[in-house]
Protein backbone atom coordinates (compact mmCIF):
# COMPACT_ATOMS: atom_id res chain seq x y z
CA UNK A 1 0.00 0.00 0.00
CA UNK A 2 1.40 3.39 -0.89
CA UNK A 3 1.74 6.32 1.45
CA UNK A 4 -1.67 7.93 2.01
CA UNK A 5 -1.53 11.40 0.52
CA UNK A 6 -4.45 12.61 2.64
CA UNK A 7 -2.28 13.05 5.73
CA UNK A 8 -3.18 16.28 7.47
CA UNK A 9 -0.04 18.34 8.09
CA UNK A 10 -1.41 21.84 7.82
CA UNK A 11 -3.14 23.79 10.54
CA UNK A 12 -6.92 23.93 10.53
CA UNK A 13 -9.13 26.39 12.32
CA UNK A 14 -10.78 25.05 15.45
CA UNK A 15 -14.54 25.44 15.33
CA UNK A 16 -14.56 26.05 19.09
CA UNK A 17 -11.81 28.66 19.47
CA UNK A 18 -11.24 29.96 15.95
CA UNK A 19 -7.50 29.34 16.47
CA UNK A 20 -5.37 27.33 14.07
CA UNK A 21 -4.47 23.87 15.33
CA UNK A 22 -2.74 20.86 13.86
CA UNK A 23 -5.12 17.98 13.28
CA UNK A 24 -3.66 14.68 14.42
CA UNK A 25 -3.99 11.62 12.25
CA UNK A 26 -5.15 8.78 14.48
CA UNK A 27 -5.16 5.11 13.43
CA UNK A 28 -7.39 2.77 15.42
CA UNK A 29 -6.68 -0.97 15.44
CA UNK A 30 -9.68 -2.89 16.70
CA UNK A 31 -12.01 -0.15 15.47
CA UNK A 32 -14.82 -2.55 14.58
CA UNK A 33 -15.04 -3.90 18.14
CA UNK A 34 -17.28 -2.69 20.95
CA UNK A 35 -14.89 -0.05 22.34
CA UNK A 36 -13.65 1.01 18.90
CA UNK A 37 -17.15 1.66 17.58
CA UNK A 38 -17.90 3.80 20.65
CA UNK A 39 -14.60 5.70 20.34
CA UNK A 40 -14.75 6.61 16.63
CA UNK A 41 -17.44 9.34 16.89
CA UNK A 42 -15.49 11.15 19.64
CA UNK A 43 -12.18 10.92 17.76
CA UNK A 44 -13.54 12.17 14.45
CA UNK A 45 -14.69 15.42 16.06
CA UNK A 46 -11.09 16.64 16.47
CA UNK A 47 -8.86 14.33 14.47
CA UNK A 48 -8.37 12.71 11.10
CA UNK A 49 -9.29 9.06 11.78
CA UNK A 50 -8.27 5.91 9.96
CA UNK A 51 -10.00 2.80 11.27
CA UNK A 52 -8.14 -0.45 10.71
CA UNK A 53 -10.03 -3.68 10.17
CA UNK A 54 -9.18 -7.17 9.01
CA UNK A 55 -12.49 -7.61 7.16
CA UNK A 56 -12.62 -4.25 5.38
CA UNK A 57 -12.84 -4.31 1.61
CA UNK A 58 -10.15 -2.54 -0.38
CA UNK A 59 -12.95 -1.22 -2.62
CA UNK A 60 -15.09 1.72 -1.44
CA UNK A 61 -18.61 0.48 -0.75
CA UNK A 62 -21.50 0.96 1.61
CA UNK A 63 -21.24 -1.21 4.71
CA UNK A 64 -22.34 -1.44 8.31
CA UNK A 65 -18.92 -0.03 9.23
CA UNK A 66 -19.61 3.33 7.57
CA UNK A 67 -19.01 6.19 9.98
CA UNK A 68 -19.00 9.78 8.68
CA UNK A 69 -15.54 11.34 8.96
CA UNK A 70 -13.78 7.99 9.37
CA UNK A 71 -11.80 6.26 6.63
CA UNK A 72 -11.57 2.48 6.90
CA UNK A 73 -8.44 0.66 5.78
CA UNK A 74 -7.94 -3.08 5.50
CA UNK A 75 -5.20 -4.30 7.82
CA UNK A 76 -4.37 -7.81 8.98
CA UNK A 77 -2.16 -7.40 12.07
CA UNK A 78 -0.60 -10.81 11.40
CA UNK A 79 1.23 -9.10 8.52
CA UNK A 80 4.04 -6.78 9.65
CA UNK A 81 4.23 -5.15 6.21
CA UNK A 82 0.47 -4.59 5.95
CA UNK A 83 0.41 -3.12 9.46
CA UNK A 84 3.32 -0.81 8.69
CA UNK A 85 1.60 0.38 5.50
CA UNK A 86 -1.65 0.97 7.39
CA UNK A 87 0.11 3.04 10.09
CA UNK A 88 2.17 5.12 7.67
CA UNK A 89 1.53 8.81 8.31
CA UNK A 90 -0.31 8.28 11.61
CA UNK A 91 0.68 10.48 14.54
CA UNK A 92 -1.06 8.31 17.15
CA UNK A 93 -2.02 4.64 16.95
CA UNK A 94 -4.70 3.29 19.27
CA UNK A 95 -4.50 -0.44 20.01
CA UNK A 96 -7.79 -2.05 21.10
CA UNK A 97 -7.00 -5.60 20.00
CA UNK A 98 -7.49 -8.61 22.27
CA UNK A 99 -7.21 -12.17 20.97
CA UNK A 100 -9.46 -14.10 23.29
CA UNK A 101 -10.72 -16.36 20.51
CA UNK A 102 -8.65 -19.10 18.83
CA UNK A 103 -7.54 -18.34 15.29
CA UNK A 104 -7.12 -20.60 12.30
CA UNK A 105 -3.92 -18.67 11.50
CA UNK A 106 -1.97 -20.10 14.42
CA UNK A 107 -3.99 -23.06 15.66
CA UNK A 108 -1.24 -24.44 17.89
CA UNK A 109 -1.05 -21.17 19.84
CA UNK A 110 -3.29 -19.89 22.59
CA UNK A 111 -4.65 -16.38 22.99
CA UNK A 112 -1.49 -15.24 24.84
CA UNK A 113 0.65 -16.31 21.89
CA UNK A 114 -1.62 -14.48 19.47
CA UNK A 115 -1.76 -11.36 21.64
CA UNK A 116 2.02 -11.22 21.86
CA UNK A 117 2.55 -11.81 18.14
CA UNK A 118 0.05 -9.12 17.12
CA UNK A 119 1.35 -6.60 19.67
CA UNK A 120 4.94 -7.18 18.56
CA UNK A 121 3.96 -6.65 14.90
CA UNK A 122 2.02 -3.50 15.80
CA UNK A 123 4.85 -2.03 17.90
CA UNK A 124 7.44 -2.76 15.21
CA UNK A 125 5.21 -1.37 12.46
CA UNK A 126 4.47 1.77 14.50
CA UNK A 127 8.18 2.39 14.99
CA UNK A 128 8.96 1.93 11.32
CA UNK A 129 5.99 4.09 10.24
CA UNK A 130 7.03 7.01 12.46
CA UNK A 131 4.08 6.86 14.86
CA UNK A 132 4.73 9.23 17.77
CA UNK A 133 2.59 7.49 20.42
CA UNK A 134 0.67 4.25 20.93
CA UNK A 135 -2.39 4.30 23.18
CA UNK A 136 -3.30 0.87 24.53
CA UNK A 137 -6.43 -0.24 26.33
CA UNK A 138 -5.52 -3.00 28.76
CA UNK A 139 -6.89 -4.27 32.05
CA UNK A 140 -6.53 -3.24 35.67
CA UNK A 141 -3.56 -5.02 37.21
CA UNK A 142 -3.64 -5.53 40.97
CA UNK A 143 -0.53 -4.64 42.94
CA UNK A 144 1.53 -7.57 44.06
CA UNK A 145 3.23 -10.58 42.59
CA UNK A 146 2.95 -10.77 38.79
CA UNK A 147 3.16 -14.58 39.09
CA UNK A 148 -0.32 -14.53 40.65
CA UNK A 149 -2.00 -12.74 37.74
CA UNK A 150 -4.65 -14.55 35.73
CA UNK A 151 -3.56 -15.69 32.29
CA UNK A 152 -5.68 -12.91 30.78
CA UNK A 153 -4.11 -10.11 32.88
CA UNK A 154 -0.61 -11.51 32.41
CA UNK A 155 -1.23 -11.33 28.66
CA UNK A 156 -2.37 -7.68 28.97
CA UNK A 157 0.92 -6.81 30.73
CA UNK A 158 2.95 -8.63 28.04
CA UNK A 159 1.10 -6.79 25.28
CA UNK A 160 1.77 -3.44 26.94
CA UNK A 161 5.52 -4.20 26.98
CA UNK A 162 5.60 -5.57 23.43
CA UNK A 163 3.93 -2.49 21.96
CA UNK A 164 6.91 -0.33 22.95
CA UNK A 165 9.51 -2.72 21.52
CA UNK A 166 10.96 -0.15 19.09
CA UNK A 167 10.80 2.78 21.45
CA UNK A 168 7.47 4.32 20.50
CA UNK A 169 6.05 5.74 23.75
CA UNK A 170 3.06 3.75 25.00
CA UNK A 171 0.24 5.20 27.06
CA UNK A 172 -1.62 2.36 28.75
CA UNK A 173 -5.19 2.88 29.86
CA UNK A 174 -6.07 0.14 32.33
CA UNK A 175 -9.77 -0.44 32.59
CA UNK A 176 -11.87 -2.83 34.64
CA UNK A 177 -14.63 -4.96 33.20
Amino acid sequence: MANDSSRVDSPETSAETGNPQRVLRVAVAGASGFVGRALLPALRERHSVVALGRHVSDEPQESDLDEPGVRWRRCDLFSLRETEDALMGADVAIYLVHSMMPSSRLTQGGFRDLDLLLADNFGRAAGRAGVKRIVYLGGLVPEGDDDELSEHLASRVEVESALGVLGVPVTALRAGL
Side-chain angles (χ1 to χ4, degrees):
M1 202 177 278
N3 231 353
D4 189 352
S5 61
S6 62
R7 179 176 177 176
V8 180
D9 284 325
S10 60
E12 290 190 2
T13 302
S14 168
E16 294 173 6
T17 65
N19 296 329
Q21 65 181 20
R22 183 171 182 279
V23 176
L24 291 178
R25 179 151 184 231
V26 179
V28 183
S32 61
F34 179 79
V35 174
R37 298 291 297 173
L39 181 61
L40 291 178
L43 286 174
R44 73 166 192 231
E45 294 298 318
R46 295 178 185 246
H47 307 293
S48 172
V49 180
V50 176
L52 309 180
R54 183 176 43 210
H55 301 294
V56 175
S57 171
D58 289 329
E59 298 298 319
Q61 60 186 13
E62 298 256 341
S63 81
D64 61 340
L65 295 176
D66 285 344
E67 180 78 41
V70 175
R71 286 179 295 117
W72 285 86
R73 180 179 288 167
R74 185 187 179 317
C75 177
D76 186 343
L77 297 178
F78 282 102
S79 167
L80 179 60
R81 175 169 283 177
E82 197 170 309
T83 305
E84 185 178 339
D85 287 346
L87 293 176
M88 198 61 65
D91 299 300
V92 176
I94 299 175
Y95 191 79
L96 305 173
V97 177
H98 300 292
S99 303
M100 292 301 291
M101 299 291 214
S103 170
S104 61
R105 290 231 185 222
L106 190 63
T107 55
Q108 72 273 22
F111 78 88
R112 283 184 75 173
D113 302 314
L114 296 175
D115 270 345
L116 190 56
L117 175 66
L118 296 176
D120 183 67
N121 271 356
F122 195 82
R124 289 176 188 279
R128 292 176 181 174
V131 170
K132 294 168 187 67
R133 174 155 314 272
I134 297 171
V135 177
Y136 168 62
L137 178 62
L140 286 177
V141 179
E143 289 186 36
D145 189 1
D146 283 353
D147 293 335
E148 295 181 15
L149 292 177
S150 70
E151 190 173 6
H152 174 73
L153 285 179
S155 177
R156 302 293 96 229
V157 171
E158 283 180 324
V159 165
E160 190 176 314
S161 295
L163 287 170
V165 72
L166 283 184
V168 177
V170 176
T171 298
L173 306 174
R174 294 180 173 175
L177 295 175

